[in-house]
Amino acid sequence: MGSTSICVVGSLNADLIAYVGEQGSAASYATGSSFEMAAGGKSLNAAMSIASLDPAAVTLVGRVGSDDLGSFIAGTLRSRGITTEGIIIDDRIHTGVGHVRVNPEGEYDTVVVPGANGNFSAADVDAFLDGHEPPAFVVLNLEVPLPAVRRAATRFRELGTTVVLNLSPVHAEARTLLRLADVVVLNRSEACHVLDVPQETDERLLLTALREAGAKTPVLTLGDEGVVALDGNDLLQEKVEPARIVNSIGAGDSFLAAMVLAMANDHPFSVSLRAANEAGRLVCGRPESFLTSDDIRDIEKAIGVPLAKVS
C-alpha cells in the first residue's frame, strides 16, 4: 500500500464523553461515573483507525477552530503519526463538539455542535485536490455540508479514486449521493429512511432497492447480526462474534476503516467485510473509539491473513 493511498474527508470533533452511573437518573438529572475528552468525529475516527496499520497511508481533510479544542485534536493526530497538512484552521468559529452520554449498557446518544465542520466547503475539496495527487481511496460521510460531500465524491471519482461513502448521519437528500459512490455503507435504519420503506423490510430487498437507486456496491450493517452486501451479482453475508459492549462510539467508523484498509490491500471483498466486522466488535469492547495496532493483529488472526500485503 503506497503512501497516502487513503484520504478521509469530513468531520473532526472534540468529544466530551460522560458515562452514566449504574444508578441511572432521577427526573432530568443523571449521575455520571466518569468523564473524558477525546478526539472524535466520524472522519477523524476512521483516519485514526487506518493509521493503526500505517500512518503514512492516510490523509485527513477537514476543519477545526483556532481554539484549544482544535489544538487538542491536532496534537492527538500528530501523536498517532497522522499528518495535519489537510486540516484547515478556521478563525471564524469554534471546533466541532460532540456532547456524548454513554449508558451502563454501552449505548450512547450525542448532541453534535458542528462548529468548523459546518464551514467545510466544496472549495476546500478543490483546494486539497489542486495541491495533491489523487489517492486510491477516499472515505466520506455526511457530518459536513452536503455540497462539500457531493463535490468530493464527484471530483475524486473523476480522478480515478474509489469513493467509499458512509451514508450517515442520514437525511432527506442523502439518496442523491448514491450514484456518486463506488461503495455505500449504511445500517438498516438508515437504508429504510433513504428508501422510504418500513423498518421491517427484508435485507435482500433493501440491498436490491439501494442498487436500483444507484448504489454500485451497497453494504448493509446489521449490528450484532453482522453485515450483508451486494458485490456485483454476489450476495455476501458475514456474521460477527458477540461483543461485550463497553462503548459503541466509533464502532461504525472502525468498521469502515478496516473495510477500506483491506480493500486498499487488494483483499477479496468478502475478506474486507470480515475484517470490518471484527474491527467494529473490538471497538465496542473498550472506551476508545478507534483501532490500535494490537487490534490490527487481532483482526488478522480473525480473518486468517495479514491485513497489509507482504511485498
Side-chain angles (χ1 to χ4, degrees), residues 2-174:
S3 180
T4 61
S5 62
I6 303 172
C7 183
V8 186
V9 178
S11 55
L12 299 85
N13 289 333
D15 283 348
L16 310 179
I17 306 171
Y19 291 84
V20 178
E22 292 290 344
Q23 67 271 35
S25 61
S28 60
Y29 187 97
T31 301
S33 60
S34 63
F35 167 82
E36 62 184 33
M37 183 169 77
K42 295 184 72 62
S43 298
L44 183 143
N45 287 341
M48 293 279 276
S49 288
I50 292 166
S52 64
L53 178 65
D54 181 5
V58 62
T59 298
L60 179 60
V61 180
R63 282 180 175 257
V64 297
S66 58
D67 50 26
D68 290 343
L69 295 179
S71 298
F72 168 74
I73 287 173
T76 301
L77 293 170
R78 286 192 291 267
S79 72
R80 293 290 290 264
I82 301 174
T83 177
T84 58
E85 65 171 310
I87 308 303
I88 300 165
I89 308 299
D90 193 329
D91 292 324
R92 295 173 293 167
I93 196 169
H94 62 83
T95 297
V97 173
H99 191 220
V100 185
R101 187 167 70 168
V102 183
N103 67 25
E105 289 73 42
E107 301 299 327
Y108 71 95
D109 59 63
T110 308
V111 176
V112 176
V113 185
N117 294 312
N119 287 342
F120 189 74
S121 69
D124 294 335
V125 174
D126 290 337
F128 175 79
L129 284 171
D130 289 345
H132 297 81
E133 290 295 317
F137 290 81
V138 66
V139 181
L140 307 172
N141 62 66
L142 303 187
E143 281 193 327
V144 292
L146 191 71
V149 180
R150 181 176 286 112
R151 181 63 170 172
T154 301
R155 281 218 57 195
F156 276 94
R157 206 177 194 193
E158 288 173 348
L159 293 169
T161 296
T162 297
V163 177
V164 179
L165 172 64
N166 181 203
L167 216 65
S168 177
V170 71
H171 53 72
E173 296 182 73

Side-chain angles (χ1 to χ4, degrees), residues 218-284:
V219 177
L220 193 63
T221 61
L222 304 173
D224 59 7
E225 296 179 18
V227 61
V228 294
L230 275 181
D231 182 28
N233 294 322
D234 297 328
L235 176 69
L236 303 180
Q237 296 178 285
E238 296 292 339
K239 298 296 183 180
V240 64
E241 293 295 322
R244 181 179 69 92
I245 307 296
V246 172
N247 177 355
S248 56
I249 301 171
D253 307 326
S254 297
F255 175 102
L256 197 69
M259 185 190 77
V260 175
L261 273 172
M263 292 171 64
N265 282 283
D266 296 325
H267 287 292
F269 198 55
S270 58
V271 173
S272 300
L273 294 179
R274 287 203 299 274
N277 263 348
E278 184 66 10
R281 188 185 73 83
L282 289 170
V283 168
C284 281

